[in-house]
Amino acid sequence: MTSQDMRSAPATSAAGAGTSPPGPDGADEREKRRAARRSKWYQRDAKWSPYAFISPFFLFFAAFGLFPLLYTGWASLHRVSLHSPTEMEWVGLHNFTRLLQDEYFWNSLSNTFVIGIISTVPQLLMALGLAHLLNYKLRGSMFFRVAMLTPYATSVAAATLVFAMLYGRDFGMINWGLGLFGIDNIDWEGGSWTSQFAVATIVIWRWTGYNTLIYLAAMQSVPNDLYESAALDGASRWQQFLHVTVPSLRPTILFTVVISTIGSTQLFGEPLLFGGSPSGGASNQYQTLGLYLYEQGWTNFHLGRASAIAWMMFLVLIVIGLVYFLVAKRLQKSH
Amino acid sequence: MHGRTRMARLTPRLSAVTAVVLSATLLAGCADDGGGSSGKDGEVTLSVGVFGVFGYKQAGLYDAYEKLNPHIKIKENSTERNEDYYPALLNRLSANSGLADIQAVEVNNINELATIQAAKFVDMSKADGVDGKDYLPWKWDQAKTEDDKVIGLGTDIGPMGICYRKDLFDKAGLPTDREEVGKLWEGDWAKYVDTGEDYMEDAPKGSSFTDSAAGLYNGALSSHAKKNYDEDGELIYKDSKAVKESWDLAMRAVDGKMTGKLKQFDTSWDQGYANGTFASVICPSWMLGYIKEKAGPKNADQWDVAPAPKPANWGGSFLTVPEASKNKDEAIKLAAWLTAPEQQAKLFEKQASFPSSTKALELPAVKSAKHEYFDNAPIGEIFSDAAKDMPTAILGPKDQIIGEQISNGILSVEQQGKSPDSAWSATTKKIDDVLDE
Amino acid sequence: MAVLTSATPKEEAPGEGDGKRRTRTRGKAGRHLYAGWFTYVVLGFFTVGSLFPLVWTAIAASRDNARLAETPPPFWFGGNLGSNLQAAWTDANMGKALINTVFVAGTVTVSTVLFATLAGFAFAKLRFRGSNILLLLVIGTMMVPPQLSVVPLFMAVAELEWTNQLQAVILPMMASAFGVFFMRQYLINALPTELIEAARVDGAHSLRLVWHVVFPAARPAMAVLGMLTFVLAWNEFFWPMIALTQDNPTVQVALTGLGRGYIPDQSVIMAGSLLGTLPLLIVFAVFGKQIVGGIMQGAVKG
């Protein structure tokens, strides 16, 4: 048994067995046994240590991640009220089928996409441009980098509070500034495009600097000779950016797109605090999926519905994740 | 305790943070503050669960009671907003644990509890020293269950008046004397809107007649007895005369461009006070302090208060004692004491909470009270009169959420220019969805 | 974050090495150009945009309610900063909140980084049954909306009677799927497999391997993950709001207590907002260079 073990684990036993010096039979036996024990230990170690390494994470994950996920899945098949969360009435897929005809659901879904796009696209484009500029030889570059990262340190609550004041209709600074150009006061919160724009700017403000640094880092790892040969070919700065920088950054760009997509699908704090209510405006003009989930669960007390919405969000993200995966594979192949 | 929790949101943004989530929902569901406990030597600690600022502590009432009853210690647990407090209370009730010895309940929720959870509360009408006749009849009845059990004792109420700015009224060619102003709309909310039309004809630049159409809706609706529910507890808001009339009035006001298009308790609403952008606001008694603070010394001598077209109530609370309380007898005594006329009068003096006790309303400290900031308006008289003639409003379990949705509907007409019809149908649709009809 | 993707770098991550390299290469190759005035104008514009909301928070915090309602809005500091900060400090139980938050964010950071490094290493370099499925599970978890787990989490916390205790906030944040994924992506390239094999041949058992090989290799990414986690934990408000109360708050929870008074004071609210952000801002100002360098290094390698 022992010897078999040793043979079947040559890589690990080699060290132990190989170093044992020849000696008296008894000692050799002992040494052999010790080596065997050791190798057994190693084998067990090799086999089980991965599980040991992941177990702390999975222990917490099971308790605080998986359990809630499954529980919510179970709850989504029931009619549950916040009045008495333990009393569940089985309704099958009703909560899901009802979503299909639920205009508020579709409204919040489309709001989520619109806000997602108008926050992600300009944000990443600006980050790309800024990273390009920061990549020049530049005085005070560290100052610029740190300054642009400060919004990242600001909490959603603090950021939204100040933006909501700046966007005030009658006495906000933005309308005051526009007023200098003869533009009438805009009811940012009341309008649908304006409110979505306002919420998007909060997201843009918080994340542009962070993404800039990510891009900058990626840009700095683009090999010099690519630029040099492009310069030799007479490419202008802009052409170099377009034909050297951007293609080299493709994986990074794709990644930031996905992370931003996940973030904007789960968008919650900004729209909630912007108007101060989970309805996301008087006619839900900036209610996102996360907000709708919250309204159903904690204002209307329909926990089953809220759970179903949560699972729909989950599904949307999985689809996005799959798309990302496929595109990434494509990219890898084309390289 | 104050009605500002009504459909209002206190500092919407910040408190939304709080709300963020069942915050309390559950938070309290089993938070640290369990029920009171009995210590050694017969010492009893009573816990009182309230939302917002009830003012008992601030007015020194707990201290006074502890002095009178040396074996009692009182501990108050306060949750900022009723929107957080109430779900938490529901959760504790269904779990039968984590309840305080006394739980405050807002007027918008008292009916729901009296309807579905009556068994969980002590019948306060049978408590020693409590006499239903001491309270305003409509207030007393609001906490009554079908079988005449009374689950809560009235604390304060929120009789409404109209707060107005004399300078703006004057510039628009309207009278400024509070009696004359009151006459303008006496007896009919429609006259208030008529006055608004007059005002707008000659309105000072940059000002509107009233702050918000939803505020007008709320005021007009509150003067009706039958609002969202009928006597049998049926939901009738879609065909309710009160809802229809009040909605139409609000629409007329929007149409006449006489509203400031503001959301009450929003930051811009506050700023409207500071800048005098609207000339009047429908104000329950507890709102006067708010206006004073927000309008500030800059606008002193401008504000006054006149009677509302019809008596109506906005806000107010009850004290209940859950059956699960570990110190039921002592808790009942304390609740009765806190809501007794003398204490209500004291609370009015210190915290401007308007008494719900008829006896307290007769006390000189209340009856002859004046408010300095509002040009020494006789608020005691104005609000007492309103309190006495108030209709016994029929409440229902979902009044609050219906009110919120209708406010949103009105706001969508006011701010976004939706047509009243489409706003109404969108609103009813949303309410149906929320109520799961 | 970009760890996951960035193509294998063809050269060392530069950090601030631009200048030196410039001497080597002549010509107009991209990054070696000196910035023109236009660059400074654009960067200046965005710097102002990044800083302005924060500066204005401070301005608003130094004024009073009445001034905040006037037009034009204030552009410079007023005299009430001290009193507003003091009001916010006492109202919001800020002293305790700061201590609590440092403790929470610190604990969460240390354990997240540790757990994520261990698990990330296992997923990156060790072969074991079920690893693919488990990894997929981890990735899937990142997509779960956080709002979803609140109800069951709360019930669990309630069952354990942890409400209003810090562990109720700390424990759920310790399992960071993003962290595991982050470390895995980093270690896949940053930790050569031969190194592990060599250590094994030398007879190192797994714990020693982790201590002497994995941790040193993972250090840059650990630092980045640590910073990301700390900022995240500091600013987390959704779950703490449910689990804690004003008696034992974190900073974000404490801030929400500011509206509690009878009449909310906007300038005090802004002061509180400033108090909650200031510690992180100071850290950024002092260690900005390291943080920026860290994020970039973590991003490039891999």
Side-chain angles (χ1 to χ4, degrees), chain A residues 44-55, chain C residues 118-119 122 126-128 200 206:
Chain A
R44 258 196 230 133
D45 182 47
K47 187 167 176 196
W48 294 109
S49 67
Y51 296 105
F53 289 147
I54 62 169
S55 60
Chain C
L118 288 178
L126 304 179
R127 254 181 276 160
F128 55 99
R200 286 249 193 239
S206 294

mmCIF file with all atom_site columns, all heavy atoms in Angstrom, chain A residues 44-55, chain C residues 118-119 122 126-128 200 206:
data_model
loop_
_atom_site.group_PDB
_atom_site.id
_atom_site.type_symbol
_atom_site.label_atom_id
_atom_site.label_alt_id
_atom_site.label_comp_id
_atom_site.label_asym_id
_atom_site.label_entity_id
_atom_site.label_seq_id
_atom_site.pdbx_PDB_ins_code
_atom_site.Cartn_x
_atom_site.Cartn_y
_atom_site.Cartn_z
_atom_site.occupancy
_atom_site.B_iso_or_equiv
_atom_site.pdbx_formal_charge
_atom_site.auth_seq_id
_atom_site.auth_comp_id
_atom_site.auth_asym_id
_atom_site.auth_atom_id
_atom_site.pdbx_PDB_model_num
ATOM 1   N N   . ARG A 1 44  ? -1.826  13.841 0.201   1.00 0.00 ? 44  ARG A N   1
ATOM 2   C CA  . ARG A 1 44  ? -3.044  14.388 0.786   1.00 0.00 ? 44  ARG A CA  1
ATOM 3   C C   . ARG A 1 44  ? -3.041  15.902 0.699   1.00 0.00 ? 44  ARG A C   1
ATOM 4   O O   . ARG A 1 44  ? -4.039  16.531 0.386   1.00 0.00 ? 44  ARG A O   1
ATOM 5   C CB  . ARG A 1 44  ? -3.149  13.957 2.243   1.00 0.00 ? 44  ARG A CB  1
ATOM 6   C CG  . ARG A 1 44  ? -4.129  12.818 2.394   1.00 0.00 ? 44  ARG A CG  1
ATOM 7   C CD  . ARG A 1 44  ? -4.499  12.670 3.840   1.00 0.00 ? 44  ARG A CD  1
ATOM 8   N NE  . ARG A 1 44  ? -4.343  11.266 4.185   1.00 0.00 ? 44  ARG A NE  1
ATOM 9   C CZ  . ARG A 1 44  ? -3.717  10.834 5.273   1.00 0.00 ? 44  ARG A CZ  1
ATOM 10  N NH1 . ARG A 1 44  ? -3.203  11.687 6.128   1.00 0.00 ? 44  ARG A NH1 1
ATOM 11  N NH2 . ARG A 1 44  ? -3.629  9.561  5.509   1.00 0.00 ? 44  ARG A NH2 1
ATOM 12  N N   . ASP A 1 45  ? -1.857  16.417 0.978   1.00 0.00 ? 45  ASP A N   1
ATOM 13  C CA  . ASP A 1 45  ? -1.703  17.865 0.932   1.00 0.00 ? 45  ASP A CA  1
ATOM 14  C C   . ASP A 1 45  ? -2.063  18.389 -0.454  1.00 0.00 ? 45  ASP A C   1
ATOM 15  O O   . ASP A 1 45  ? -2.858  19.317 -0.593  1.00 0.00 ? 45  ASP A O   1
ATOM 16  C CB  . ASP A 1 45  ? -0.246  18.197 1.271   1.00 0.00 ? 45  ASP A CB  1
ATOM 17  C CG  . ASP A 1 45  ? -0.004  19.696 1.291   1.00 0.00 ? 45  ASP A CG  1
ATOM 18  O OD1 . ASP A 1 45  ? -0.832  20.393 1.908   1.00 0.00 ? 45  ASP A OD1 1
ATOM 19  O OD2 . ASP A 1 45  ? 0.969   20.140 0.693   1.00 0.00 ? 45  ASP A OD2 1
ATOM 20  N N   . ALA A 1 46  ? -1.507  17.718 -1.471  1.00 0.00 ? 46  ALA A N   1
ATOM 21  C CA  . ALA A 1 46  ? -1.753  18.183 -2.833  1.00 0.00 ? 46  ALA A CA  1
ATOM 22  C C   . ALA A 1 46  ? -3.223  18.050 -3.196  1.00 0.00 ? 46  ALA A C   1
ATOM 23  O O   . ALA A 1 46  ? -3.782  18.863 -3.927  1.00 0.00 ? 46  ALA A O   1
ATOM 24  C CB  . ALA A 1 46  ? -0.893  17.405 -3.815  1.00 0.00 ? 46  ALA A CB  1
ATOM 25  N N   . LYS A 1 47  ? -3.807  16.988 -2.683  1.00 0.00 ? 47  LYS A N   1
ATOM 26  C CA  . LYS A 1 47  ? -5.182  16.733 -3.066  1.00 0.00 ? 47  LYS A CA  1
ATOM 27  C C   . LYS A 1 47  ? -6.164  17.660 -2.341  1.00 0.00 ? 47  LYS A C   1
ATOM 28  O O   . LYS A 1 47  ? -7.110  18.152 -2.927  1.00 0.00 ? 47  LYS A O   1
ATOM 29  C CB  . LYS A 1 47  ? -5.532  15.279 -2.750  1.00 0.00 ? 47  LYS A CB  1
ATOM 30  C CG  . LYS A 1 47  ? -6.887  14.886 -3.282  1.00 0.00 ? 47  LYS A CG  1
ATOM 31  C CD  . LYS A 1 47  ? -7.070  13.385 -3.236  1.00 0.00 ? 47  LYS A CD  1
ATOM 32  C CE  . LYS A 1 47  ? -8.456  13.005 -3.682  1.00 0.00 ? 47  LYS A CE  1
ATOM 33  N NZ  . LYS A 1 47  ? -8.775  11.625 -3.299  1.00 0.00 ? 47  LYS A NZ  1
ATOM 34  N N   . TRP A 1 48  ? -5.870  17.862 -1.077  1.00 0.00 ? 48  TRP A N   1
ATOM 35  C CA  . TRP A 1 48  ? -6.870  18.592 -0.278  1.00 0.00 ? 48  TRP A CA  1
ATOM 36  C C   . TRP A 1 48  ? -6.560  20.063 -0.047  1.00 0.00 ? 48  TRP A C   1
ATOM 37  O O   . TRP A 1 48  ? -7.449  20.833 0.288   1.00 0.00 ? 48  TRP A O   1
ATOM 38  C CB  . TRP A 1 48  ? -7.056  17.887 1.080   1.00 0.00 ? 48  TRP A CB  1
ATOM 39  C CG  . TRP A 1 48  ? -7.659  16.537 0.905   1.00 0.00 ? 48  TRP A CG  1
ATOM 40  C CD1 . TRP A 1 48  ? -7.048  15.333 1.069   1.00 0.00 ? 48  TRP A CD1 1
ATOM 41  C CD2 . TRP A 1 48  ? -8.998  16.251 0.470   1.00 0.00 ? 48  TRP A CD2 1
ATOM 42  N NE1 . TRP A 1 48  ? -7.906  14.297 0.781   1.00 0.00 ? 48  TRP A NE1 1
ATOM 43  C CE2 . TRP A 1 48  ? -9.119  14.844 0.406   1.00 0.00 ? 48  TRP A CE2 1
ATOM 44  C CE3 . TRP A 1 48  ? -10.097 17.035 0.135   1.00 0.00 ? 48  TRP A CE3 1
ATOM 45  C CZ2 . TRP A 1 48  ? -10.289 14.201 0.018   1.00 0.00 ? 48  TRP A CZ2 1
ATOM 46  C CZ3 . TRP A 1 48  ? -11.273 16.406 -0.250  1.00 0.00 ? 48  TRP A CZ3 1
ATOM 47  C CH2 . TRP A 1 48  ? -11.358 15.005 -0.310  1.00 0.00 ? 48  TRP A CH2 1
ATOM 48  N N   . SER A 1 49  ? -5.291  20.428 -0.222  1.00 0.00 ? 49  SER A N   1
ATOM 49  C CA  . SER A 1 49  ? -4.983  21.828 0.083   1.00 0.00 ? 49  SER A CA  1
ATOM 50  C C   . SER A 1 49  ? -5.767  22.828 -0.777  1.00 0.00 ? 49  SER A C   1
ATOM 51  O O   . SER A 1 49  ? -6.165  23.865 -0.270  1.00 0.00 ? 49  SER A O   1
ATOM 52  C CB  . SER A 1 49  ? -3.478  22.087 -0.024  1.00 0.00 ? 49  SER A CB  1
ATOM 53  O OG  . SER A 1 49  ? -3.060  21.963 -1.368  1.00 0.00 ? 49  SER A OG  1
ATOM 54  N N   . PRO A 1 50  ? -6.006  22.508 -2.068  1.00 0.00 ? 50  PRO A N   1
ATOM 55  C CA  . PRO A 1 50  ? -6.825  23.473 -2.818  1.00 0.00 ? 50  PRO A CA  1
ATOM 56  C C   . PRO A 1 50  ? -8.157  23.733 -2.139  1.00 0.00 ? 50  PRO A C   1
ATOM 57  O O   . PRO A 1 50  ? -8.616  24.880 -2.062  1.00 0.00 ? 50  PRO A O   1
ATOM 58  C CB  . PRO A 1 50  ? -7.031  22.787 -4.166  1.00 0.00 ? 50  PRO A CB  1
ATOM 59  C CG  . PRO A 1 50  ? -5.911  21.843 -4.307  1.00 0.00 ? 50  PRO A CG  1
ATOM 60  C CD  . PRO A 1 50  ? -5.564  21.399 -2.917  1.00 0.00 ? 50  PRO A CD  1
ATOM 61  N N   . TYR A 1 51  ? -8.729  22.667 -1.624  1.00 0.00 ? 51  TYR A N   1
ATOM 62  C CA  . TYR A 1 51  ? -10.026 22.851 -0.966  1.00 0.00 ? 51  TYR A CA  1
ATOM 63  C C   . TYR A 1 51  ? -9.870  23.673 0.311   1.00 0.00 ? 51  TYR A C   1
ATOM 64  O O   . TYR A 1 51  ? -10.715 24.475 0.662   1.00 0.00 ? 51  TYR A O   1
ATOM 65  C CB  . TYR A 1 51  ? -10.669 21.504 -0.658  1.00 0.00 ? 51  TYR A CB  1
ATOM 66  C CG  . TYR A 1 51  ? -10.988 20.741 -1.920  1.00 0.00 ? 51  TYR A CG  1
ATOM 67  C CD1 . TYR A 1 51  ? -10.207 19.664 -2.322  1.00 0.00 ? 51  TYR A CD1 1
ATOM 68  C CD2 . TYR A 1 51  ? -12.059 21.124 -2.731  1.00 0.00 ? 51  TYR A CD2 1
ATOM 69  C CE1 . TYR A 1 51  ? -10.483 18.974 -3.488  1.00 0.00 ? 51  TYR A CE1 1
ATOM 70  C CE2 . TYR A 1 51  ? -12.335 20.454 -3.896  1.00 0.00 ? 51  TYR A CE2 1
ATOM 71  C CZ  . TYR A 1 51  ? -11.547 19.368 -4.278  1.00 0.00 ? 51  TYR A CZ  1
ATOM 72  O OH  . TYR A 1 51  ? -11.828 18.714 -5.435  1.00 0.00 ? 51  TYR A OH  1
ATOM 73  N N   . ALA A 1 52  ? -8.749  23.418 0.982   1.00 0.00 ? 52  ALA A N   1
ATOM 74  C CA  . ALA A 1 52  ? -8.496  24.201 2.197   1.00 0.00 ? 52  ALA A CA  1
ATOM 75  C C   . ALA A 1 52  ? -8.344  25.677 1.855   1.00 0.00 ? 52  ALA A C   1
ATOM 76  O O   . ALA A 1 52  ? -8.823  26.545 2.580   1.00 0.00 ? 52  ALA A O   1
ATOM 77  C CB  . ALA A 1 52  ? -7.246  23.687 2.901   1.00 0.00 ? 52  ALA A CB  1
ATOM 78  N N   . PHE A 1 53  ? -7.692  25.944 0.713   1.00 0.00 ? 53  PHE A N   1
ATOM 79  C CA  . PHE A 1 53  ? -7.479  27.339 0.330   1.00 0.00 ? 53  PHE A CA  1
ATOM 80  C C   . PHE A 1 53  ? -8.769  28.051 -0.044  1.00 0.00 ? 53  PHE A C   1
ATOM 81  O O   . PHE A 1 53  ? -8.933  29.228 0.219   1.00 0.00 ? 53  PHE A O   1
ATOM 82  C CB  . PHE A 1 53  ? -6.502  27.426 -0.849  1.00 0.00 ? 53  PHE A CB  1
ATOM 83  C CG  . PHE A 1 53  ? -5.098  27.085 -0.463  1.00 0.00 ? 53  PHE A CG  1
ATOM 84  C CD1 . PHE A 1 53  ? -4.245  26.465 -1.366  1.00 0.00 ? 53  PHE A CD1 1
ATOM 85  C CD2 . PHE A 1 53  ? -4.621  27.385 0.809   1.00 0.00 ? 53  PHE A CD2 1
ATOM 86  C CE1 . PHE A 1 53  ? -2.952  26.138 -1.009  1.00 0.00 ? 53  PHE A CE1 1
ATOM 87  C CE2 . PHE A 1 53  ? -3.327  27.062 1.166   1.00 0.00 ? 53  PHE A CE2 1
ATOM 88  C CZ  . PHE A 1 53  ? -2.488  26.431 0.256   1.00 0.00 ? 53  PHE A CZ  1
ATOM 89  N N   . ILE A 1 54  ? -9.635  27.324 -0.691  1.00 0.00 ? 54  ILE A N   1
ATOM 90  C CA  . ILE A 1 54  ? -10.866 28.011 -1.101  1.00 0.00 ? 54  ILE A CA  1
ATOM 91  C C   . ILE A 1 54  ? -11.928 27.963 -0.017  1.00 0.00 ? 54  ILE A C   1
ATOM 92  O O   . ILE A 1 54  ? -12.920 28.677 -0.076  1.00 0.00 ? 54  ILE A O   1
ATOM 93  C CB  . ILE A 1 54  ? -11.439 27.448 -2.420  1.00 0.00 ? 54  ILE A CB  1
ATOM 94  C CG1 . ILE A 1 54  ? -11.823 25.985 -2.247  1.00 0.00 ? 54  ILE A CG1 1
ATOM 95  C CG2 . ILE A 1 54  ? -10.469 27.629 -3.566  1.00 0.00 ? 54  ILE A CG2 1
ATOM 96  C CD1 . ILE A 1 54  ? -12.628 25.449 -3.414  1.00 0.00 ? 54  ILE A CD1 1
ATOM 97  N N   . SER A 1 55  ? -11.718 27.101 0.990   1.00 0.00 ? 55  SER A N   1
ATOM 98  C CA  . SER A 1 55  ? -12.807 26.929 1.956   1.00 0.00 ? 55  SER A CA  1
ATOM 99  C C   . SER A 1 55  ? -13.141 28.179 2.771   1.00 0.00 ? 55  SER A C   1
ATOM 100 O O   . SER A 1 55  ? -14.321 28.426 3.006   1.00 0.00 ? 55  SER A O   1
ATOM 101 C CB  . SER A 1 55  ? -12.528 25.742 2.869   1.00 0.00 ? 55  SER A CB  1
ATOM 102 O OG  . SER A 1 55  ? -11.347 25.963 3.564   1.00 0.00 ? 55  SER A OG  1
ATOM 103 N N   . LEU C 2 118 ? -5.805  33.331 -1.139  1.00 0.00 ? 118 LEU C N   1
ATOM 104 C CA  . LEU C 2 118 ? -5.774  31.874 -1.014  1.00 0.00 ? 118 LEU C CA  1
ATOM 105 C C   . LEU C 2 118 ? -6.624  31.213 -2.100  1.00 0.00 ? 118 LEU C C   1
ATOM 106 O O   . LEU C 2 118 ? -6.163  30.339 -2.841  1.00 0.00 ? 118 LEU C O   1
ATOM 107 C CB  . LEU C 2 118 ? -6.281  31.443 0.369   1.00 0.00 ? 118 LEU C CB  1
ATOM 108 C CG  . LEU C 2 118 ? -5.351  31.737 1.548   1.00 0.00 ? 118 LEU C CG  1
ATOM 109 C CD1 . LEU C 2 118 ? -5.997  31.315 2.849   1.00 0.00 ? 118 LEU C CD1 1
ATOM 110 C CD2 . LEU C 2 118 ? -4.018  31.027 1.351   1.00 0.00 ? 118 LEU C CD2 1
ATOM 111 N N   . ALA C 2 119 ? -7.870  31.665 -2.195  1.00 0.00 ? 119 ALA C N   1
ATOM 112 C CA  . ALA C 2 119 ? -8.772  31.045 -3.161  1.00 0.00 ? 119 ALA C CA  1
ATOM 113 C C   . ALA C 2 119 ? -8.321  31.353 -4.585  1.00 0.00 ? 119 ALA C C   1
ATOM 114 O O   . ALA C 2 119 ? -8.344  30.482 -5.461  1.00 0.00 ? 119 ALA C O   1
ATOM 115 C CB  . ALA C 2 119 ? -10.199 31.529 -2.935  1.00 0.00 ? 119 ALA C CB  1
ATOM 116 N N   . ALA C 2 122 ? -5.550  29.066 -5.499  1.00 0.00 ? 122 ALA C N   1
ATOM 117 C CA  . ALA C 2 122 ? -6.032  27.716 -5.781  1.00 0.00 ? 122 ALA C CA  1
ATOM 118 C C   . ALA C 2 122 ? -6.649  27.644 -7.171  1.00 0.00 ? 122 ALA C C   1
ATOM 119 O O   . ALA C 2 122 ? -6.388  26.718 -7.941  1.00 0.00 ? 122 ALA C O   1
ATOM 120 C CB  . ALA C 2 122 ? -7.048  27.291 -4.717  1.00 0.00 ? 122 ALA C CB  1
ATOM 121 N N   . LEU C 2 126 ? -3.755  25.562 -8.953  1.00 0.00 ? 126 LEU C N   1
ATOM 122 C CA  . LEU C 2 126 ? -3.897  24.188 -8.489  1.00 0.00 ? 126 LEU C CA  1
ATOM 123 C C   . LEU C 2 126 ? -5.013  23.493 -9.248  1.00 0.00 ? 126 LEU C C   1
ATOM 124 O O   . LEU C 2 126 ? -6.012  24.119 -9.609  1.00 0.00 ? 126 LEU C O   1
ATOM 125 C CB  . LEU C 2 126 ? -4.203  24.166 -6.978  1.00 0.00 ? 126 LEU C CB  1
ATOM 126 C CG  . LEU C 2 126 ? -3.183  24.888 -6.105  1.00 0.00 ? 126 LEU C CG  1
ATOM 127 C CD1 . LEU C 2 126 ? -3.605  24.828 -4.652  1.00 0.00 ? 126 LEU C CD1 1
ATOM 128 C CD2 . LEU C 2 126 ? -1.792  24.270 -6.284  1.00 0.00 ? 126 LEU C CD2 1
ATOM 129 N N   . ARG C 2 127 ? -4.776  22.222 -9.481  1.00 0.00 ? 127 ARG C N   1
ATOM 130 C CA  . ARG C 2 127 ? -5.826  21.488 -10.162 1.00 0.00 ? 127 ARG C CA  1
ATOM 131 C C   . ARG C 2 127 ? -6.599  20.665 -9.146  1.00 0.00 ? 127 ARG C C   1
ATOM 132 O O   . ARG C 2 127 ? -6.017  19.950 -8.349  1.00 0.00 ? 127 ARG C O   1
ATOM 133 C CB  . ARG C 2 127 ? -5.236  20.583 -11.240 1.00 0.00 ? 127 ARG C CB  1
ATOM 134 C CG  . ARG C 2 127 ? -5.514  21.149 -12.625 1.00 0.00 ? 127 ARG C CG  1
ATOM 135 C CD  . ARG C 2 127 ? -4.969  20.261 -13.677 1.00 0.00 ? 127 ARG C CD  1
ATOM 136 N NE  . ARG C 2 127 ? -3.543  20.546 -13.906 1.00 0.00 ? 127 ARG C NE  1
ATOM 137 C CZ  . ARG C 2 127 ? -2.725  19.684 -14.477 1.00 0.00 ? 127 ARG C CZ  1
ATOM 138 N NH1 . ARG C 2 127 ? -3.169  18.480 -14.852 1.00 0.00 ? 127 ARG C NH1 1
ATOM 139 N NH2 . ARG C 2 127 ? -1.477  19.994 -14.690 1.00 0.00 ? 127 ARG C NH2 1
ATOM 140 N N   . PHE C 2 128 ? -7.870  20.817 -9.135  1.00 0.00 ? 128 PHE C N   1
ATOM 141 C CA  . PHE C 2 128 ? -8.658  19.987 -8.219  1.00 0.00 ? 128 PHE C CA  1
ATOM 142 C C   . PHE C 2 128 ? -10.049 19.785 -8.783  1.00 0.00 ? 128 PHE C C   1
ATOM 143 O O   . PHE C 2 128 ? -10.520 20.548 -9.633  1.00 0.00 ? 128 PHE C O   1
ATOM 144 C CB  . PHE C 2 128 ? -8.717  20.606 -6.821  1.00 0.00 ? 128 PHE C CB  1
ATOM 145 C CG  . PHE C 2 128 ? -9.231  22.034 -6.793  1.00 0.00 ? 128 PHE C CG  1
ATOM 146 C CD1 . PHE C 2 128 ? -10.552 22.298 -6.460  1.00 0.00 ? 128 PHE C CD1 1
ATOM 147 C CD2 . PHE C 2 128 ? -8.382  23.091 -7.083  1.00 0.00 ? 128 PHE C CD2 1
ATOM 148 C CE1 . PHE C 2 128 ? -11.014 23.593 -6.428  1.00 0.00 ? 128 PHE C CE1 1
ATOM 149 C CE2 . PHE C 2 128 ? -8.852  24.397 -7.044  1.00 0.00 ? 128 PHE C CE2 1
ATOM 150 C CZ  . PHE C 2 128 ? -10.168 24.656 -6.721  1.00 0.00 ? 128 PHE C CZ  1
ATOM 151 N N   . ARG C 2 200 ? 7.827   22.773 -4.469  1.00 0.00 ? 200 ARG C N   1
ATOM 152 C CA  . ARG C 2 200 ? 7.314   21.455 -4.095  1.00 0.00 ? 200 ARG C CA  1
ATOM 153 C C   . ARG C 2 200 ? 8.446   20.446 -4.046  1.00 0.00 ? 200 ARG C C   1
ATOM 154 O O   . ARG C 2 200 ? 8.544   19.633 -3.131  1.00 0.00 ? 200 ARG C O   1
ATOM 155 C CB  . ARG C 2 200 ? 6.288   21.005 -5.141  1.00 0.00 ? 200 ARG C CB  1
ATOM 156 C CG  . ARG C 2 200 ? 4.980   21.730 -5.016  1.00 0.00 ? 200 ARG C CG  1
ATOM 157 C CD  . ARG C 2 200 ? 3.941   20.762 -4.528  1.00 0.00 ? 200 ARG C CD  1
ATOM 158 N NE  . ARG C 2 200 ? 2.607   21.292 -4.677  1.00 0.00 ? 200 ARG C NE  1
ATOM 159 C CZ  . ARG C 2 200 ? 1.787   21.449 -3.653  1.00 0.00 ? 200 ARG C CZ  1
ATOM 160 N NH1 . ARG C 2 200 ? 2.163   21.109 -2.448  1.00 0.00 ? 200 ARG C NH1 1
ATOM 161 N NH2 . ARG C 2 200 ? 0.586   21.923 -3.846  1.00 0.00 ? 200 ARG C NH2 1
ATOM 162 N N   . SER C 2 206 ? 2.091   22.897 1.505   1.00 0.00 ? 206 SER C N   1
ATOM 163 C CA  . SER C 2 206 ? 1.277   23.959 0.920   1.00 0.00 ? 206 SER C CA  1
ATOM 164 C C   . SER C 2 206 ? 1.308   25.266 1.685   1.00 0.00 ? 206 SER C C   1
ATOM 165 O O   . SER C 2 206 ? 1.370   26.333 1.094   1.00 0.00 ? 206 SER C O   1
ATOM 166 C CB  . SER C 2 206 ? -0.169  23.476 0.797   1.00 0.00 ? 206 SER C CB  1
ATOM 167 O OG  . SER C 2 206 ? -0.227  22.440 -0.128  1.00 0.00 ? 206 SER C OG  1
#
